[in-house]
Amino acid sequence: MNSSSSRKGGIGRHLAATAFSFLGAAALVAPLAPAAHAADVTTIKVLNWEPGGAEYWKQLVAAFEKANPDIKVELETVPFDRYPEVQGPYIATKSGPDVMENNAGLELYDRRSAYAELPADVLEAGKELITYSGGCLNFDTSKSCYGLPFGYQGNVMYYNKKVLAEAGLDPANPPKTWDEMDAACAKIKSVGKTCLALGLSGIFPAYWDFPEVARNYLTEDDMRAMLTGDMPWTDPKMVNILKGLASITQKGWANASAPSITMLPDGADLFQSGNAAFAGTIISDAVNWAAFDKALGAENVGAMRWPTLVADAPLAGSFSGIESSVFGVSSWSDKKDAAFRFVKFMAGPENAELLTKVAGGISLYKNVDPSALPNSPALSQILEIIKKPTLHAGVILSGQEADALARGWQEVTLGQLSIEDWTARMQKALEQSPSKRKK
């Protein structure tokens, strides 16, 4: 949310060459500017879950501090699944980091009191991005905005070609429908492998699985109604989504440990170990094609849309896309000028190049060179999949709904909850959501 040694070397040589060219030319006309004195340096603290991996963040901070010698960055990096429990006390006490990361959409909106509204010059920097509406109220850039993204994000299903071949399946033609997936899973289990690596604990079911079933039943207007709280969970479409999710575990596609583990790192580790045929994750960050290529060999990794439940559904063949996480400035920071400079840098061209070359991410910066993307069969498939985007239903779930979704799916899998009771629980979560509650 990694990079190979060859990419590290390539970007390192590029930055070194750029630095040499600049310094060599500057030396002919003027002495080097003196380094900022310690007393002139502002230290900002950045709370994050390290999207893109450790090497990317190392180079990102180095590049920012080189461009801004009067600012020093201190990172507080927290595992993604523990992030809310660390961020929560900071928000409650209005103290701590100067810059914070959050996912775009309702996760950010629900926490907007903890963020300073983006000023005009930062919004101007955002105009160089393809989109940044996920950091703005109601996904509308004409309304208040609280953070800028830096990359593109969304869901695909990865598959291990070696495991498919082992099970007598055609790696060039992975399953495209729910029935085909069911038949494939039976063959995969017969050779002692897990069909679908899955973890149901935490936020992952809401962000990584729910949108891919939802696309079979919802239109984009339905999703916008979800955002405003006008789509009840008792609607037959919403009930069908819950039934679709439940069928994944009820059919026995997933590992038996799914109810008790998180998708990151546990579910992803199961896939990366070569013991599972499929994993539904994301296109960027730590559980993307680059990490899987490194673990399994690029020749063994494929990427596809999730199999469809309703083949003729308008959005069944679309990609659930969204800006990756956004970075904003905490409302309590007394170093807002320096903090906003960091947010602008995250959205700028230098970081776009770093994201592409070091982290294998897909930048939102308009003018990034597509030839900088590494060569990967799975990435090539992803670049085709993302050409037909739709709204990401996961980021329009409130925190209450996301929690009820994950807990309910765990209990349904364990035979402790019916679909009817899960539906009622989801409706109650909707009615208790501050961001959706009707006045």
Side-chain angles (χ1 to χ4, degrees):
M1 325 182 154
N2 286 322
S3 56
S4 67
S5 58
S6 62
R7 289 202 299 276
K8 295 175 190 174
I11 190 63
R13 287 191 294 273
H14 174 80
L15 291 175
T18 302
F20 178 83
S21 173
F22 173 80
L23 292 175
L28 296 176
V29 296
L32 294 177
H37 295 295
D40 300 329
V41 173
T42 299
T43 298
I44 59 171
K45 296 181 180 180
V46 178
L47 181 67
N48 71 98
W49 58 75
E50 208 172 62
E55 180 59 26
Y56 162 66
W57 273 84
K58 178 181 177 182
Q59 294 197 33
L60 164 63
V61 171
F64 174 77
E65 290 181 344
K66 181 179 177 182
N68 299 271
D70 57 329
I71 303 175
K72 178 177 174 56
V73 176
E74 286 186 1
L75 300 178
E76 181 178 359
T77 300
V78 179
F80 178 74
D81 59 329
R82 289 190 54 245
Y83 194 81
E85 70 185 69
V86 173
Q87 187 188 37
Y90 287 138
I91 295 175
T93 59
K94 300 187 185 305
S95 64
D98 302 287
V99 176
M100 299 189 296
E101 178 177 15
N102 266 116
N103 282 306
L106 279 178
E107 183 178 306
L108 178 69
Y109 305 163
D110 285 350
R111 296 164 174 77
R112 63 185 180 274
S113 65
Y115 287 90
E117 188 172 342
L118 300 185
D121 64 310
V122 181
L123 286 171
E124 186 69 25
K127 290 182 179 179
E128 291 303 317
L129 302 175
I130 295 172
T131 174
Y132 60 95
S133 61
C136 308
L137 290 180
N138 295 329
F139 291 84
D140 184 346
T141 55
S142 70
K143 299 185 183 298
S144 297
C145 301
Y146 297 92
L148 287 183
F150 59 102
Y152 197 35
Q153 188 58 282
N155 306 338
V156 294
M157 185 171 281
Y158 293 95
Y159 57 96
N160 186 327
K161 299 175 186 177
K162 187 175 179 180
V163 173
L164 294 189
E166 217 179 303
L169 299 165
D170 183 0
N173 292 289
K176 294 181 175 60
T177 69
W178 220 242
D179 288 342
E180 288 177 5
M181 185 71 169
D182 196 35
C185 284
K187 291 185 177 182
I188 291 161
K189 289 191 292 181
S190 73
V191 297
K193 300 282 187 178
T194 293
C195 184
L196 177 66
L198 187 65
L200 298 180
S201 180
I203 199 74
F204 303 100
Y207 284 167
W208 294 2
D209 306 309
F210 170 75
E212 303 318 294
V213 175
R215 287 190 291 105
N216 291 270
Y217 298 105
L218 303 181
T219 64
E220 289 194 346
D221 285 343
D222 291 332
M223 293 185 197
R224 291 188 179 94
M226 280 183 61
L227 176 64
T228 58
D230 294 316
M231 172 64 82
W233 282 91
T234 52
D235 186 289
K237 293 180 179 180
M238 303 300 285
V239 176
N240 280 334
I241 296 170
L242 297 182
K243 288 179 178 178
L245 290 170
S247 73
I248 293 172
T249 46
Q250 290 172 340
K251 288 175 178 290
W253 294 358
N255 41 294
S257 60
S260 61
I261 66 172
T262 63
M263 192 59 202
L264 179 65
D266 304 318
D269 285 348
L270 178 61
F271 180 72
Q272 288 185 150
S273 71
N275 288 312
F278 299 94
T281 72
I282 47 181
I283 64 172
S284 297
D285 300 341
V287 281
N288 69 340
W289 57 271
F292 295 148
D293 280 4
K294 183 177 180 181
L296 300 170
E299 72 280 4
N300 293 319
V301 181
M304 66 186 210
R305 291 184 182 88
W306 277 54
T308 60
L309 287 90
V310 183
D312 59 351
L315 302 179
S318 300
F319 168 68
S320 298
I322 186 64
E323 297 117 325
S324 58
S325 55
V326 298
F327 284 82
V329 175
S330 60
S331 58
W332 56 79
S333 174
D334 58 359
K335 303 170 184 176
K336 285 187 172 63
D337 288 344
F340 277 126
R341 280 161 65 184
F342 182 82
V343 170
K344 289 168 67 175
F345 187 87
M346 289 291 293
E350 190 166 0
N351 186 40
E353 183 175 306
L354 286 170
L355 178 68
T356 300
K357 290 189 174 181
V358 181
I362 299 173
S363 174
L364 284 174
Y365 188 73
K366 292 176 181 176
N367 299 315
V368 70
D369 182 359
S371 68
L373 287 167
N375 184 25
S376 162
L379 176 60
S380 297
Q381 291 172 304
I382 289 169
L383 293 176
E384 288 300 313
I385 290 170
I386 67 177
K387 288 180 179 178
K388 189 181 177 183
T390 189
L391 297 175
H392 190 291
V395 302
I396 56 183
L397 294 176
S398 64
Q400 290 80 3
E401 290 169 293
D403 184 63
L405 186 84
R407 292 179 186 275
W409 195 358
Q410 288 173 307
E411 293 178 40
V412 167
T413 300
L414 295 170
Q416 300 170 351
L417 189 72
S418 67
I419 298 294
E420 292 75 16
D421 288 341
W422 192 12
T423 300
R425 190 181 293 182
M426 294 303 303
Q427 181 62 26
K428 183 177 180 181
L430 167 61
E431 293 167 359
Q432 292 176 340
S433 303
S435 53
K436 297 186 177 185
R437 190 181 297 143
K438 297 302 177 185
K439 305 300 182 186

